Amino acid sequence: MAGTITIKNGYVFDPLNEINGEIMDVFIKDGKVVRELSAAELKNAKVIDASGMTVMPGGVDSHSHVAGAKVNAGRAMRPEDHYKANLQKTSLTHSGSGYTVPSVYKQGYDYSAMGYTTVFEAAIPPLEARHTHEEMHATPLLDMGGYLVLGNNFFMMRYLREGDMEKAAAYVAWMMKTHKAYGIKCVNPAGVENWSWGKNVSSLDEANIHFEITPREIIKGLTEINEHLGMPMPVHLHANNLGHPGCYAITKDSLKIFDGVKTRQDMDVEWAETKIDPSRNRSVYLSHLMFNGFAGTTWADCESGVKGVADYINNKDHVVTDSGCTPFGEATVMTGDGPAIHDLYTLTGNKWSSTDVEMECGSGVLPFTYYKSNPVHSLQWAMGLECLLLINDPWKTIMTTDSPNGGPFTKYPEVMTWLMSEAFRKQTFSECHKWANDRSTLGGINRELSLYDLAILTRANPAKTIGMAHRKGSLGVGADGDVTVYNINPQQLDANDYEALLRTFRKAEYTVKDGEIVVVKGEVVSLPGKRTYYSDVHVQDEREKEMLVDVKDWFRYYTIGFANYPTPEKYLENPTPIQVNGER
Ligand SMILES: [Zn+2]
């Protein structure tokens, strides 16, 4: 029977159901978690004996760069990234290459080998949505979706400037449907538009050129629209001044804008059974805190400002953040924040790509290597871990490397192990520049995360944060049958034996997707289908019509015709719209 399996006797970690290492069986029927299987079903079901092993829901990555034009620019401009990492074709799998920016097939296999089953692309420029969907379509084994970049969009900025919130909301709803996107991403609001003029903005109240709108106004407007429409996830904010010494202050001030915003998540979906409320309760999802967490005034006197932001988050309940950890080694930085990448270009002289996406946004790409010998890079390593260790409530944090910005997602095992093992952190301190210790608080932190914490940071909370906990991130009845089995016995876990932890997290013993075994000991063994999620947001027809009159009028400034703008559903692998009630 397809998609029917019993995973027996494992130590189960399922935070959305408050299950913390209990020995249990997990039953999956036709791809969904069920309470039990009948005797006949049991007879025909596949069985995984997980005795002495750790069982978690499949991994969920809520912020990664895996598809679209800038990812492909990263591939194209880095042949050196592809010599070193190759994958041979097998009778089942495609060949592939690429270390920091792998080809689509390889990235699907690599994620799956580590136990991940769901990955969301963090930035889709509307004009590049077709391309993004083509790459998501081609990425095997992962359920996917992505966030639409709207923080410097001409149409949005015009509506917000004019205070026409109704049309602005209708525009966002239409854009989600048109581009089959899932949530709102806001990158360096007002600043990316200024980058078209070789400039940036440096404060929340600095108006940009021509549109005369400030970052604060854009953030406020987008979040009002987000909650008005009942979107699955909060506004996903990439704050201003990213990567500048002193930027932690504007990051903290940006988070204050969301304080007191009433959240409204209104989706027509079936909710899996969970003990903890799986709906979202945050009004902002801050991206990669590490890159937005520098204190100081120059690179000479810079230090970690993560504690300043973490203290704020500890005292408030409206913020969730992902870390953007930087394990050392090769990376490719890529972001919609063009001016931030230009700054890195002037610092490094590395090859650099900068793109202006017509009336919508921009992007920059640059190869980058984080060295243990470099003072700032060492500090960044410490800051990334501070993001996850200084915020007390794991339900406010999500583990990422902002792949491939801080490093490729294949470095997650290192990050997981640093979080769980103070001994591993000490070992790394002994190898890297002393700024890591002198200019951060990491050396004084002895917190070691448990497997339960880790399941929150890599499964339950990313799913809850982005509004996917109705089917992802838990093993509750009705959830998707996505499971990771790690070959580690929690009863014998020794945080000092970090080599064993690294080995464990690098290769899942089993990855199960929709009840099918897809990975055994890190090797892909089957390739069942996958899904693409997007938000089908409903607004009043009249309002949409009025808004489209404006859009069609302004559309003459695009290089493409209006009819060619939308992304048809055929571009999506197994399109799975989430009905968002909006104004219905
Ligand atoms: Zn990112």
Side-chain angles (χ1 to χ4, degrees):
M1 211 180 331
T4 301
I5 191 166
T6 309
I7 300 160
K8 288 177 70 141
N9 279 327
Y11 293 95
V12 175
F13 293 84
D14 178 8
L16 278 162
N17 286 295
E18 295 181 328
I19 296 169
N20 185 359
E22 276 173 53
I23 295 181
M24 294 171 64
D25 297 342
V26 176
F27 301 105
I28 299 167
K29 182 183 165 186
D30 299 333
K32 290 277 188 185
V33 177
V34 291
R35 207 171 309 282
E36 56 191 6
L37 293 174
S38 69
E41 288 163 347
L42 274 174
K43 232 171 108 185
N44 293 318
K46 285 188 182 157
V47 178
I48 288 176
D49 180 3
S51 301
M53 298 190 197
T54 291
V55 175
M56 291 186 186
V60 178
D61 195 340
S62 56
H63 187 118
S64 186
H65 299 274
V66 281
K70 71 183 177 330
V71 178
N72 218 28
R75 292 189 190 107
M77 70 196 272
R78 298 208 62 189
E80 75 280 8
D81 191 58
H82 292 257
Y83 306 146
K84 298 174 210 160
N86 314 280
L87 183 70
Q88 279 196 352
K89 182 183 180 325
T90 71
S91 57
L92 180 69
T93 54
H94 287 265
S95 60
S97 67
Y99 175 65
T100 66
V101 203
S103 53
V104 282
Y105 298 118
K106 187 168 184 295
Q107 83 186 354
Y109 307 145
D110 286 353
Y111 258 116
S112 195
M114 298 189 310
Y116 277 74
T117 54
T118 306
V119 177
F120 274 65
E121 163 58 48
I124 306 179
L127 256 182
E128 311 289 357
R130 283 192 185 198
H131 178 169
T132 309
H133 279 294
E134 283 178 319
E135 291 196 3
M136 293 203 290
H137 190 294
T139 302
L141 291 167
L142 301 176
D143 279 6
M144 301 179 88
Y147 317 138
L148 204 61
V149 180
L150 290 171
N152 290 272
N153 177 294
F154 280 24
F155 301 82
M156 274 316 300
M157 289 192 292
R158 237 173 107 167
Y159 279 141
L160 293 179
R161 185 79 209 102
E162 291 163 3
D164 197 338
M165 297 306 287
E166 290 183 349
K167 279 190 187 167
Y171 177 70
V172 171
W174 177 76
M175 287 289 274
M176 292 294 157
K177 279 185 285 192
T178 298
H179 298 297
K180 309 296 180 286
Y182 182 82
I184 298 176
K185 178 78 182 293
C186 176
V187 177
N188 185 2
V192 174
E193 170 53 21
N194 263 13
W195 178 236
S196 312
W197 308 89
K199 295 185 162 62
N200 199 348
V201 293
S202 58
S203 90
L204 282 173
D205 297 305
E206 180 183 342
N208 65 3
I209 298 164
H210 181 73
F211 290 92
E212 289 287 313
I213 190 161
T214 68
R216 188 187 303 279
E217 289 165 336
I218 292 173
I219 291 170
K220 265 191 169 164
L222 283 176
T223 196
E224 190 181 325
I225 291 163
N226 193 73
E227 305 307 333
H228 170 76
L229 293 175
M231 294 294 286
M233 63 185 286
V235 165
H236 192 21
L237 179 70
H238 163 133
N240 301 95
N241 279 1
L242 174 138
H244 292 179
C247 64
Y248 88 99
I250 198 170
T251 303
K252 197 164 85 172
D253 288 343
S254 303
L255 297 178
K256 289 177 186 168
I257 300 173
F258 298 87
D259 191 10
V261 169
K262 199 171 171 313
T263 58
R264 175 172 168 264
Q265 180 191 46
D266 190 0
M267 320 178 286
D268 268 351
V269 291
E270 301 235 348
W271 292 85
E273 285 180 19
T274 55
K275 256 202 185 138
I276 287 183
D277 181 0
S279 60
R280 78 168 160 97
N281 51 359
R282 315 291 185 199
S283 54
V284 56
Y285 170 14
L286 177 74
S287 61
H288 39 67
L289 171 56
M290 189 287 295
F291 289 108
N292 290 86
F294 292 102
T297 56
T298 67
W299 290 118
D301 72 358
C302 79
E303 56 185 1
S304 171
V306 171
K307 189 169 183 310
V309 185
D311 285 348
Y312 177 79
I313 296 175
N314 280 332
N315 284 308
K316 294 285 179 181
D317 284 323
H318 66 283
V319 185
V320 55
T321 182
D322 65 54
S323 54
C325 288
T326 48
F328 294 100
E330 291 272 312
T332 302
V333 293
M334 53 176 66
T335 168
D337 194 345
I341 301 293
H342 176 255
D343 293 342
L344 278 180
Y345 164 69
T346 55
L347 277 171
T348 61
N350 290 353
K351 53 188 168 183
W352 165 54
S353 136
S354 182
T355 304
D356 179 47
V357 186
E358 304 198 9
M359 299 194 285
E360 300 181 338
C361 52
S363 79
V365 182
L366 177 127
F368 198 86
T369 309
Y370 296 92
Y371 295 102
K372 285 182 176 166
S373 56
N374 181 295
V376 176
H377 303 172
S378 300
L379 174 62
Q380 286 181 279
W381 164 74
M383 287 166 60
L385 298 176
E386 278 185 317
C387 295
L388 299 170
L389 294 170
L390 286 177
I391 296 173
N392 301 324
D393 180 357
W395 289 100
K396 293 178 178 174
T397 56
I398 292 166
M399 189 206 80
T400 66
T401 60
D402 188 15
S403 178
N405 283 284
F409 62 85
T410 42
K411 288 272 184 136
Y412 285 177
E414 273 82 345
V415 180
M416 292 172 171
T417 305
W418 278 313
L419 294 172
M420 290 186 69
S421 167
E422 193 186 4
F424 188 37
R425 298 200 291 267
K426 284 200 167 130
Q427 167 65 30
T428 306
F429 270 126
S430 74
E431 294 165 357
C432 73
H433 193 279
K434 65 191 185 64
W435 273 29
N437 200 14
D438 294 353
R439 300 193 178 206
S440 82
T441 65
L442 186 68
I445 301 173
N446 48 28
R447 183 178 177 193
E448 292 181 326
L449 297 191
S450 64
L451 287 167
Y452 188 74
D453 294 330
L454 203 71
I456 297 175
L457 265 57
T458 57
R459 274 97 175 144
N461 202 33
K464 182 177 155 86
T465 295
I466 65 168
M468 286 301 295
H470 57 282
R471 60 189 301 167
K472 300 293 182 189
S474 91
L475 297 172
V477 170
D480 287 353
D482 295 359
V483 186
T484 314
V485 180
Y486 291 121
N487 189 359
I488 190 160
N489 185 332
Q491 302 292 328
Q492 294 161 10
L493 192 148
D494 175 5
N496 292 319
D497 186 3
Y498 47 81
E499 291 294 345
L501 286 172
L502 287 168
R503 270 198 306 277
T504 299
F505 295 133
R506 279 180 186 141
K507 286 186 177 182
E509 189 71 11
Y510 295 95
T511 306
V512 175
K513 171 91 177 60
D514 294 318
E516 299 283 337
I517 299 174
V518 292
V519 162
V520 178
K521 295 186 194 300
E523 298 295 324
V524 175
V525 295
S526 73
L527 294 164
K530 54 172 280 175
R531 297 178 201 87
T532 314
Y533 302 98
Y534 70 93
S535 291
D536 190 3
V537 191
H538 297 268
V539 292
Q540 291 170 17
D541 290 348
E542 270 314 299
R543 197 158 288 162
E544 184 172 296
K545 267 189 210 149
E546 284 169 28
M547 175 274 301
L548 282 177
V549 172
D550 296 338
V551 171
K552 283 177 182 164
D553 177 33
W554 304 338
F555 217 86
R556 64 182 182 274
Y557 300 114
Y558 268 111
T559 55
I560 65 162
F562 186 74
N564 293 327
Y565 192 49
T567 305
E569 266 207 337
K570 68 179 181 195
Y571 278 72
L572 279 63
E573 173 78 3
N574 197 359
T576 309
I578 307 256
Q579 301 302 321
V580 178
N581 284 326
E583 298 171 350
R584 188 160 63 181

PDB file of all heavy atoms in Angstrom, residues 143-161:
ATOM      1  N   ASP A 143       8.675  19.478  -0.707  1.00  0.00           N
ATOM      2  CA  ASP A 143       7.517  20.354  -0.816  1.00  0.00           C
ATOM      3  C   ASP A 143       8.030  21.778  -0.699  1.00  0.00           C
ATOM      4  O   ASP A 143       8.862  22.074   0.159  1.00  0.00           O
ATOM      5  CB  ASP A 143       6.515  20.063   0.312  1.00  0.00           C
ATOM      6  CG  ASP A 143       5.636  18.865  -0.002  1.00  0.00           C
ATOM      7  OD1 ASP A 143       5.887  18.199  -1.033  1.00  0.00           O
ATOM      8  OD2 ASP A 143       4.714  18.589   0.775  1.00  0.00           O
ATOM      9  N   MET A 144       7.528  22.650  -1.581  1.00  0.00           N
ATOM     10  CA  MET A 144       8.118  23.995  -1.627  1.00  0.00           C
ATOM     11  C   MET A 144       7.064  25.089  -1.767  1.00  0.00           C
ATOM     12  O   MET A 144       5.897  24.826  -2.041  1.00  0.00           O
ATOM     13  CB  MET A 144       9.112  24.091  -2.805  1.00  0.00           C
ATOM     14  CG  MET A 144      10.236  23.081  -2.707  1.00  0.00           C
ATOM     15  SD  MET A 144      11.400  23.162  -4.083  1.00  0.00           S
ATOM     16  CE  MET A 144      12.542  24.386  -3.473  1.00  0.00           C
ATOM     17  N   GLY A 145       7.518  26.309  -1.596  1.00  0.00           N
ATOM     18  CA  GLY A 145       6.732  27.517  -1.802  1.00  0.00           C
ATOM     19  C   GLY A 145       7.706  28.670  -1.688  1.00  0.00           C
ATOM     20  O   GLY A 145       8.903  28.457  -1.469  1.00  0.00           O
ATOM     21  N   GLY A 146       7.221  29.905  -1.844  1.00  0.00           N
ATOM     22  CA  GLY A 146       8.163  31.025  -1.747  1.00  0.00           C
ATOM     23  C   GLY A 146       7.474  32.336  -1.457  1.00  0.00           C
ATOM     24  O   GLY A 146       6.260  32.469  -1.589  1.00  0.00           O
ATOM     25  N   TYR A 147       8.288  33.293  -1.047  1.00  0.00           N
ATOM     26  CA  TYR A 147       7.777  34.595  -0.609  1.00  0.00           C
ATOM     27  C   TYR A 147       8.034  35.652  -1.682  1.00  0.00           C
ATOM     28  O   TYR A 147       9.136  35.742  -2.228  1.00  0.00           O
ATOM     29  CB  TYR A 147       8.460  35.015   0.701  1.00  0.00           C
ATOM     30  CG  TYR A 147       8.597  33.893   1.720  1.00  0.00           C
ATOM     31  CD1 TYR A 147       9.763  33.727   2.453  1.00  0.00           C
ATOM     32  CD2 TYR A 147       7.558  32.973   1.914  1.00  0.00           C
ATOM     33  CE1 TYR A 147       9.901  32.692   3.367  1.00  0.00           C
ATOM     34  CE2 TYR A 147       7.686  31.939   2.827  1.00  0.00           C
ATOM     35  CZ  TYR A 147       8.857  31.799   3.546  1.00  0.00           C
ATOM     36  OH  TYR A 147       9.000  30.772   4.453  1.00  0.00           O
ATOM     37  N   LEU A 148       7.026  36.481  -1.923  1.00  0.00           N
ATOM     38  CA  LEU A 148       7.095  37.470  -2.987  1.00  0.00           C
ATOM     39  C   LEU A 148       7.686  38.780  -2.450  1.00  0.00           C
ATOM     40  O   LEU A 148       7.216  39.315  -1.449  1.00  0.00           O
ATOM     41  CB  LEU A 148       5.679  37.704  -3.521  1.00  0.00           C
ATOM     42  CG  LEU A 148       5.556  38.234  -4.938  1.00  0.00           C
ATOM     43  CD1 LEU A 148       6.163  37.255  -5.944  1.00  0.00           C
ATOM     44  CD2 LEU A 148       4.092  38.474  -5.275  1.00  0.00           C
ATOM     45  N   VAL A 149       8.689  39.284  -3.167  1.00  0.00           N
ATOM     46  CA  VAL A 149       9.382  40.496  -2.722  1.00  0.00           C
ATOM     47  C   VAL A 149       8.540  41.721  -3.070  1.00  0.00           C
ATOM     48  O   VAL A 149       8.282  41.989  -4.236  1.00  0.00           O
ATOM     49  CB  VAL A 149      10.764  40.593  -3.407  1.00  0.00           C
ATOM     50  CG1 VAL A 149      11.502  41.837  -2.951  1.00  0.00           C
ATOM     51  CG2 VAL A 149      11.594  39.355  -3.116  1.00  0.00           C
ATOM     52  N   LEU A 150       8.082  42.454  -2.056  1.00  0.00           N
ATOM     53  CA  LEU A 150       7.153  43.567  -2.300  1.00  0.00           C
ATOM     54  C   LEU A 150       7.563  44.888  -1.644  1.00  0.00           C
ATOM     55  O   LEU A 150       6.865  45.889  -1.786  1.00  0.00           O
ATOM     56  CB  LEU A 150       5.745  43.175  -1.806  1.00  0.00           C
ATOM     57  CG  LEU A 150       5.025  42.101  -2.639  1.00  0.00           C
ATOM     58  CD1 LEU A 150       3.756  41.639  -1.942  1.00  0.00           C
ATOM     59  CD2 LEU A 150       4.697  42.632  -4.027  1.00  0.00           C
ATOM     60  N   GLY A 151       8.692  44.914  -0.939  1.00  0.00           N
ATOM     61  CA  GLY A 151       9.041  46.095  -0.139  1.00  0.00           C
ATOM     62  C   GLY A 151       9.532  47.299  -0.925  1.00  0.00           C
ATOM     63  O   GLY A 151       9.668  48.395  -0.367  1.00  0.00           O
ATOM     64  N   ASN A 152       9.840  47.128  -2.220  1.00  0.00           N
ATOM     65  CA  ASN A 152      10.271  48.251  -3.054  1.00  0.00           C
ATOM     66  C   ASN A 152       9.541  48.245  -4.393  1.00  0.00           C
ATOM     67  O   ASN A 152      10.015  48.798  -5.383  1.00  0.00           O
ATOM     68  CB  ASN A 152      11.782  48.200  -3.284  1.00  0.00           C
ATOM     69  CG  ASN A 152      12.567  48.508  -2.027  1.00  0.00           C
ATOM     70  OD1 ASN A 152      12.859  49.656  -1.721  1.00  0.00           O
ATOM     71  ND2 ASN A 152      12.891  47.462  -1.255  1.00  0.00           N
ATOM     72  N   ASN A 153       8.375  47.627  -4.398  1.00  0.00           N
ATOM     73  CA  ASN A 153       7.580  47.496  -5.614  1.00  0.00           C
ATOM     74  C   ASN A 153       6.889  48.833  -5.933  1.00  0.00           C
ATOM     75  O   ASN A 153       6.264  49.437  -5.065  1.00  0.00           O
ATOM     76  CB  ASN A 153       6.554  46.380  -5.349  1.00  0.00           C
ATOM     77  CG  ASN A 153       5.615  46.163  -6.489  1.00  0.00           C
ATOM     78  OD1 ASN A 153       4.823  47.025  -6.801  1.00  0.00           O
ATOM     79  ND2 ASN A 153       5.688  44.990  -7.092  1.00  0.00           N
ATOM     80  N   PHE A 154       7.030  49.299  -7.187  1.00  0.00           N
ATOM     81  CA  PHE A 154       6.495  50.626  -7.560  1.00  0.00           C
ATOM     82  C   PHE A 154       5.004  50.739  -7.247  1.00  0.00           C
ATOM     83  O   PHE A 154       4.533  51.755  -6.746  1.00  0.00           O
ATOM     84  CB  PHE A 154       6.682  50.873  -9.063  1.00  0.00           C
ATOM     85  CG  PHE A 154       8.063  51.316  -9.455  1.00  0.00           C
ATOM     86  CD1 PHE A 154       9.169  51.035  -8.667  1.00  0.00           C
ATOM     87  CD2 PHE A 154       8.256  52.035 -10.633  1.00  0.00           C
ATOM     88  CE1 PHE A 154      10.442  51.439  -9.039  1.00  0.00           C
ATOM     89  CE2 PHE A 154       9.528  52.449 -11.013  1.00  0.00           C
ATOM     90  CZ  PHE A 154      10.619  52.147 -10.232  1.00  0.00           C
ATOM     91  N   PHE A 155       4.251  49.693  -7.600  1.00  0.00           N
ATOM     92  CA  PHE A 155       2.787  49.731  -7.413  1.00  0.00           C
ATOM     93  C   PHE A 155       2.458  49.842  -5.925  1.00  0.00           C
ATOM     94  O   PHE A 155       1.617  50.634  -5.526  1.00  0.00           O
ATOM     95  CB  PHE A 155       2.148  48.473  -8.006  1.00  0.00           C
ATOM     96  CG  PHE A 155       2.409  48.295  -9.477  1.00  0.00           C
ATOM     97  CD1 PHE A 155       3.587  47.737  -9.922  1.00  0.00           C
ATOM     98  CD2 PHE A 155       1.456  48.691 -10.399  1.00  0.00           C
ATOM     99  CE1 PHE A 155       3.831  47.578 -11.274  1.00  0.00           C
ATOM    100  CE2 PHE A 155       1.689  48.539 -11.759  1.00  0.00           C
ATOM    101  CZ  PHE A 155       2.880  47.981 -12.201  1.00  0.00           C
ATOM    102  N   MET A 156       3.165  49.038  -5.123  1.00  0.00           N
ATOM    103  CA  MET A 156       2.951  49.079  -3.675  1.00  0.00           C
ATOM    104  C   MET A 156       3.307  50.443  -3.109  1.00  0.00           C
ATOM    105  O   MET A 156       2.556  51.035  -2.338  1.00  0.00           O
ATOM    106  CB  MET A 156       3.870  48.060  -2.977  1.00  0.00           C
ATOM    107  CG  MET A 156       3.405  46.657  -2.856  1.00  0.00           C
ATOM    108  SD  MET A 156       1.727  46.451  -2.350  1.00  0.00           S
ATOM    109  CE  MET A 156       1.709  47.229  -0.786  1.00  0.00           C
ATOM    110  N   MET A 157       4.490  50.936  -3.486  1.00  0.00           N
ATOM    111  CA  MET A 157       4.953  52.211  -2.914  1.00  0.00           C
ATOM    112  C   MET A 157       3.997  53.333  -3.299  1.00  0.00           C
ATOM    113  O   MET A 157       3.705  54.212  -2.498  1.00  0.00           O
ATOM    114  CB  MET A 157       6.385  52.521  -3.377  1.00  0.00           C
ATOM    115  CG  MET A 157       7.415  51.595  -2.742  1.00  0.00           C
ATOM    116  SD  MET A 157       9.136  52.128  -2.968  1.00  0.00           S
ATOM    117  CE  MET A 157       9.354  51.898  -4.715  1.00  0.00           C
ATOM    118  N   ARG A 158       3.469  53.278  -4.531  1.00  0.00           N
ATOM    119  CA  ARG A 158       2.534  54.319  -4.959  1.00  0.00           C
ATOM    120  C   ARG A 158       1.244  54.267  -4.161  1.00  0.00           C
ATOM    121  O   ARG A 158       0.765  55.279  -3.655  1.00  0.00           O
ATOM    122  CB  ARG A 158       2.237  54.139  -6.450  1.00  0.00           C
ATOM    123  CG  ARG A 158       2.557  55.380  -7.248  1.00  0.00           C
ATOM    124  CD  ARG A 158       2.428  55.125  -8.707  1.00  0.00           C
ATOM    125  NE  ARG A 158       1.228  55.788  -9.234  1.00  0.00           N
ATOM    126  CZ  ARG A 158       1.002  55.939 -10.538  1.00  0.00           C
ATOM    127  NH1 ARG A 158       1.869  55.463 -11.427  1.00  0.00           N
ATOM    128  NH2 ARG A 158      -0.081  56.535 -10.960  1.00  0.00           N
ATOM    129  N   TYR A 159       0.686  53.060  -4.044  1.00  0.00           N
ATOM    130  CA  TYR A 159      -0.559  52.928  -3.272  1.00  0.00           C
ATOM    131  C   TYR A 159      -0.354  53.341  -1.816  1.00  0.00           C
ATOM    132  O   TYR A 159      -1.194  54.022  -1.228  1.00  0.00           O
ATOM    133  CB  TYR A 159      -1.083  51.493  -3.322  1.00  0.00           C
ATOM    134  CG  TYR A 159      -1.855  51.147  -4.578  1.00  0.00           C
ATOM    135  CD1 TYR A 159      -1.706  49.895  -5.181  1.00  0.00           C
ATOM    136  CD2 TYR A 159      -2.769  52.042  -5.129  1.00  0.00           C
ATOM    137  CE1 TYR A 159      -2.427  49.557  -6.314  1.00  0.00           C
ATOM    138  CE2 TYR A 159      -3.492  51.712  -6.271  1.00  0.00           C
ATOM    139  CZ  TYR A 159      -3.314  50.462  -6.869  1.00  0.00           C
ATOM    140  OH  TYR A 159      -4.031  50.137  -7.979  1.00  0.00           O
ATOM    141  N   LEU A 160       0.763  52.908  -1.228  1.00  0.00           N
ATOM    142  CA  LEU A 160       0.998  53.235   0.187  1.00  0.00           C
ATOM    143  C   LEU A 160       1.209  54.737   0.349  1.00  0.00           C
ATOM    144  O   LEU A 160       0.731  55.343   1.300  1.00  0.00           O
ATOM    145  CB  LEU A 160       2.205  52.456   0.731  1.00  0.00           C
ATOM    146  CG  LEU A 160       2.027  50.932   0.839  1.00  0.00           C
ATOM    147  CD1 LEU A 160       3.309  50.281   1.368  1.00  0.00           C
ATOM    148  CD2 LEU A 160       0.855  50.562   1.737  1.00  0.00           C
ATOM    149  N   ARG A 161       1.919  55.340  -0.607  1.00  0.00           N
ATOM    150  CA  ARG A 161       2.146  56.786  -0.552  1.00  0.00           C
ATOM    151  C   ARG A 161       0.814  57.539  -0.611  1.00  0.00           C
ATOM    152  O   ARG A 161       0.587  58.516   0.079  1.00  0.00           O
ATOM    153  CB  ARG A 161       3.038  57.216  -1.725  1.00  0.00           C
ATOM    154  CG  ARG A 161       3.426  58.659  -1.700  1.00  0.00           C
ATOM    155  CD  ARG A 161       4.555  58.887  -0.702  1.00  0.00           C
ATOM    156  NE  ARG A 161       4.546  60.223  -0.125  1.00  0.00           N
ATOM    157  CZ  ARG A 161       4.094  60.508   1.103  1.00  0.00           C
ATOM    158  NH1 ARG A 161       3.602  59.577   1.890  1.00  0.00           N
ATOM    159  NH2 ARG A 161       4.156  61.730   1.570  1.00  0.00           N
TER     160      ARG A 161
END
